[in-house]
């Protein structure tokens, strides 16, 4: 159901009454069911109901906080006057401060006398907001997913949209939370949230800056924290200027808690909220007494890493309207540096806040310099979870338009924050970068490098080869590294001296190869296991035969057609018999190896056929042939007999090696 024109709205009112009756029967058991809805239009006439006033005759800035302390909701500060929404009791309290009030016949929250703008169909109501989230997920299923983080008092799902590459995984990327619509009538904030969802998903893959962010961050968007209040505000066809949620309060007919006074950090501490249920800034009977704040709290707490408890959400913006402000914590105190707000933290908030405000033209300030609030979301997100959180008060900066700018203003109002949202998201991994202190507060993860002094070496069977493993601390602090190797020939060992080192140190790797190891090349993987990462390097191990039992002949020998040729290798330092794992390494240059027969001839004349006319028309032979020569005395002259059995295509024996 879209926001509609007056005529359509009126026609819908009967249906709305039915819907209200239906929700009442499904209201959660955790609280009393919602009372009867006030008659539209008669609401402002309720004895206790807040109404709009201009407060004049302020003499000092402290008067602003004194007004806030009465419980009146300050909506706008203009030329030393305040636009407020106050109950009759709060108006009397304002008068006791020596200030005067002028009732506003023109509601500051909208043009005309509560008539809603005629061109607001583009605003998203609750069902349309959920549908918009679903549409984003349907169009971008690999980078967007939806979850329900809890239910509102009246039982509506509170929906969160997740946006990231590999959206189904928790990849440990810095996470960013955008929340909107804690205050029911601030409908433009929903549009801002949906704008961000569209921006990130719609331009993924085409705008490299956005692709980088979606790849390197996790975005959480909760576009409607207060769905009951938002629906109540517009559902009858006449805007109600409703702020709070729709939770009843026991012992009174006054409905609703100000969600942005219900958070649990310094809740109700400092005169920045009201204990009276009639008030626009009613803080609720306890911190998180509202199901909506409890749901968002539980969601945020669920983003702590189960290993170690570190909060993955690093940065957040809570959207409100209006006034065009960039606000930072704390709201409960005017002090800049207090517990949980060091000078560097405050400087980061202030510097980054001003930088963001420079992109959207808003006014940057600490939240409390507007007026003191306690129990606000930003104080909790920062004070409790150390999430860098700003409150943005959106368009316009004009109390005569207030909470209800025409829908035709949505594109410019939301688009104005494109740069601020992207810049802020880029800082999310380490906001301290804004004051140049990222190396102090966000040291890079500990990482090490590992290299080998030589990347290959030869060991004779029964012998060994060694090289030096060099490590470095490539970022962060040094870490313990355990060294190991795999891919060795059967029976071979790799021993490290020492086996465990600190990054920056070296170790000697000794590979020992048992006698009888088949001569060949082996890719040995050397692994350094650090505290969080591992590094590997490859060592090319060439195994030769026993020492003294090797021979080579590098002399080129032409291989004519149909004529046997022989190439000799004489071995005279190899006692006893040859091994069962001897090897003959042969390199022949030839255009048609299928012509060739290769035979090893032992000193006593015994012949071992290595290959017999295999390989068809392939070029060249570069091959090591394993042979069992355990029955042969090693010393003597060995011969490689080469025979080209077909006419045409002649070649050359380039070289060959013998390992006994
Ligand atoms: O009063 C509020 O909750 C916010 N203004 S609004 O008109 N949207 O209601 C301002 C809150 C400022 N304080 C903190 N963010 N702590
Ligand atoms: Ca990801
Ligand atoms: Zn607000």
């Amino acid at each position: 159901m879209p926001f509609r024109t007056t005529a359509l709205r009126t026609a819908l009112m009967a249906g709305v009454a039915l819907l209200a009756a239906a929700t009442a029967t499904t209201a959660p058991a955790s609280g009393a069911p919602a009372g009867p809805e006030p008659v539209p239009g008669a609401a402002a006439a309720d004895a206790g109901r807040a109404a709009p006033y201009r407060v004049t005759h302020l003499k000092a800035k402290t008067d602003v906080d004194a007004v806030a302390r009465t419980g009146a909701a300050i909506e706008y500060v203009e030329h030393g006057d305040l636009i407020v929404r106050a109950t009759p009791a709060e108006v009397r309290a304002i008068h006791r401060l020596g200030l005067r009030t002028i009732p506003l016949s023109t509601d500051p929250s909208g043009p005309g006398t509560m008539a809603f703008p005629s061109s607001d169909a583009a605003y998203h109501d609750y069902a349309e907001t959920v549908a918009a989230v679903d549409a984003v997920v349907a169009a971008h299923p690999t980078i967007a997913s939806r979850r329900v983080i809890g239910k509102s008092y009246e039982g509506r799902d509170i929906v969160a949209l997740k946006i990231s590459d590999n959206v189904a995984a928790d990849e440990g990327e810095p996470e960013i939370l955008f929340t909107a619509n804690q205050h029911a009538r601030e409908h433009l904030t929903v549009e801002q949230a949906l704008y961000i969802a569209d921006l990130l998903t719609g331009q993924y893959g085409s705008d490299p800056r956005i692709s980088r962010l979606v790849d390197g961050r996790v975005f959480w968007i909760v576009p409607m924290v207060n769905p009951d209040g938002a629906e109540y505000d517009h559902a009858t066809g006449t805007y109600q200027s409703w702020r709070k949620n729709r939770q009843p309060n026991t012992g009174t007919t006054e409905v609703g808690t100000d969600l942005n006074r219900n958070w649990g950090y310094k809740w109700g501490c400092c005169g920045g909220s009201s204990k009276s249920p009639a008030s626009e800034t009613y803080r609720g009977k306890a911190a998180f007494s509202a199901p909506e704040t409890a749901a968002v709290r539980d969601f945020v707490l669920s983003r702590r890493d189960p290993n170690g408890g570190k909060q993955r959400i690093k940065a957040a913006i809570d959207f409100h309207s209006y006034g065009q402000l960039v606000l930072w914590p704390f709201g409960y105190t005017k002090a800049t540096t207090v517990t949980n707000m060091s000078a560097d933290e405050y400087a980061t908030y202030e510097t980054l806040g001003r930088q963001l405000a420079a992109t959207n033209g808003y006014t940057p300030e600490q939240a409390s310099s507007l007026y003191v609030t306690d129990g606000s979301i930003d104080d909790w997100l920062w004070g409790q979870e150390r999430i860098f959180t700003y409150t943005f008060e959106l368009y316009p900066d004009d109390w005569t338009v207030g909470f209800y700018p025409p829908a035709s203003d949505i594109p410019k109002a939301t688009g104005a924050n494109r740069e601020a949202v992207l810049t802020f998201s880029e800082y999310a991994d380490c906001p301290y970068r804004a004051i140049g202190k990222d190396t102090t507060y966000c040291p890079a993860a500990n990482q090490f490098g590992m290299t080998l002094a030589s990347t290959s070496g030869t060991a004779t069977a029964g012998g060994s080869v060694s090289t030096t493993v060099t490590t470095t601390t490539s970022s962060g602090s040094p870490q313990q590294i355990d060294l190991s190797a795999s891919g060795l020939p059967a029976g071979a060992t790799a021993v490290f001296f020492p086996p465990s080192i600190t990054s920056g140190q070296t170790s000697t790797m000794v590979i020992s190869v048992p006698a009888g190891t088949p001569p060949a090349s082996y890719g040995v993987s050397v692994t350094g296991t650090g505290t969080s990462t591992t590094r590997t390097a490859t060592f090319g191990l060439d195994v030769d035969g026993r020492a003294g039992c090797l021979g080579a002949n590098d002399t080129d020998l032409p291989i004519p057609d149909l004529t046997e040729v022989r190439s000799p290798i004489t071995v005279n330092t190899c006692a006893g018999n040859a091994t069962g794992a001897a090897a003959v390494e042969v390199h022949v240059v030839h255009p048609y190896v299928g012509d060739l027969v290769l035979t090893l001839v032992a000193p006593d004349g015994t012949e071992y056929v290595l290959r017999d006319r295999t390989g068809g028309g392939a070029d060249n032979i570069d091959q090591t042939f394993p042979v069992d020569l355990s029955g042969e005395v090693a010393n003597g002259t060995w011969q490689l007999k080469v025979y080209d059995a077909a006419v045409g295509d002649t070649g050359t024996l380039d070289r060959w090696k013998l390992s006994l």
Side-chain angles (χ1 to χ4, degrees), residues 457 487-490 513 517-525 538-544:
L488 294 159
V513 182
T517 299
S521 291
Y522 300 86
V524 177
S525 256
T538 302
F539 181 77
L541 171 68
D542 291 316
V543 175
D544 276 348

Side-chain angles (χ1 to χ4, degrees), residues 72-76 182-183 185-186 189 243 258-261 272 280-281 318-323 325 327-332 366-380 389-394 403:
I74 298 174
E75 189 170 316
Y76 197 70
Q182 283 202 86
H183 288 145
R185 61 195 166 209
E186 298 169 13
T189 64
R243 171 181 173 92
D258 182 350
L259 298 185
N260 208 28
R261 300 293 184 276
E280 288 274 84
T281 59
D318 185 44
F319 290 106
H320 287 257
S321 68
Y322 56 97
L325 304 168
L327 305 173
W328 57 82
F330 281 116
Y332 81 89
Q366 185 178 343
S368 57
S369 69
L370 197 60
Y371 48 86
V372 167
T373 64
D374 46 46
S376 293
I377 186 173
D378 39 13
D379 283 11
W380 186 83
T389 306
Y390 289 90
T391 296
F392 277 25
E393 294 278 2
L394 300 182
F403 300 110

Side-chain angles (χ1 to χ4, degrees), residues 334-472:
K334 303 240 176 208
T336 55
T337 55
V338 287
T339 303
N340 287 326
M341 183 66 83
S342 70
D344 278 350
E345 288 161 354
Y346 189 85
T348 300
Y349 267 117
E350 182 173 26
T351 305
L352 184 52
R354 288 182 194 284
Q355 194 178 325
L356 299 176
T359 70
N360 57 15
Y362 290 8
T363 303
E365 58 187 327
Q366 185 178 343
S368 57
S369 69
L370 197 60
Y371 48 86
V372 167
T373 64
D374 46 46
S376 293
I377 186 173
D378 39 13
D379 283 11
W380 186 83
L381 287 175
W382 174 251
Q384 167 74 35
E385 292 297 294
R386 314 295 286 183
I387 296 168
F388 269 88
T389 306
Y390 289 90
T391 296
F392 277 25
E393 294 278 2
L394 300 182
Y395 175 91
D397 187 12
D398 176 351
W399 68 268
T400 65
V401 176
F403 300 110
Y404 300 104
S408 55
D409 287 350
I410 292 172
K412 74 168 174 187
T414 56
N417 283 310
R418 182 186 197 275
E419 183 61 36
V421 162
L422 295 181
T423 301
F424 183 56
S425 303
E426 285 164 348
Y427 271 106
D429 63 313
C430 187
Y432 298 99
R433 193 157 53 244
I435 58 166
K437 294 206 173 177
D438 40 327
T439 49
T440 307
Y441 291 109
C442 316
N446 299 339
Q447 283 182 355
F448 70 95
M450 186 180 81
T451 52
L452 303 177
S454 22
T455 53
S456 65
T458 302
T460 50
S464 65
V465 62
S466 70
T467 190
T468 303
V469 184
T470 302
T471 63
T472 57

Side-chain angles (χ1 to χ4, degrees), residues 483-489 492-494 496 509 511 522-527 536-539 541:
L483 297 165
S484 62
S486 60
L488 294 159
T493 57
F496 295 86
M509 172 178 73
I511 297 176
Y522 300 86
V524 177
S525 256
V526 181
T527 302
T536 56
T538 302
F539 181 77
L541 171 68

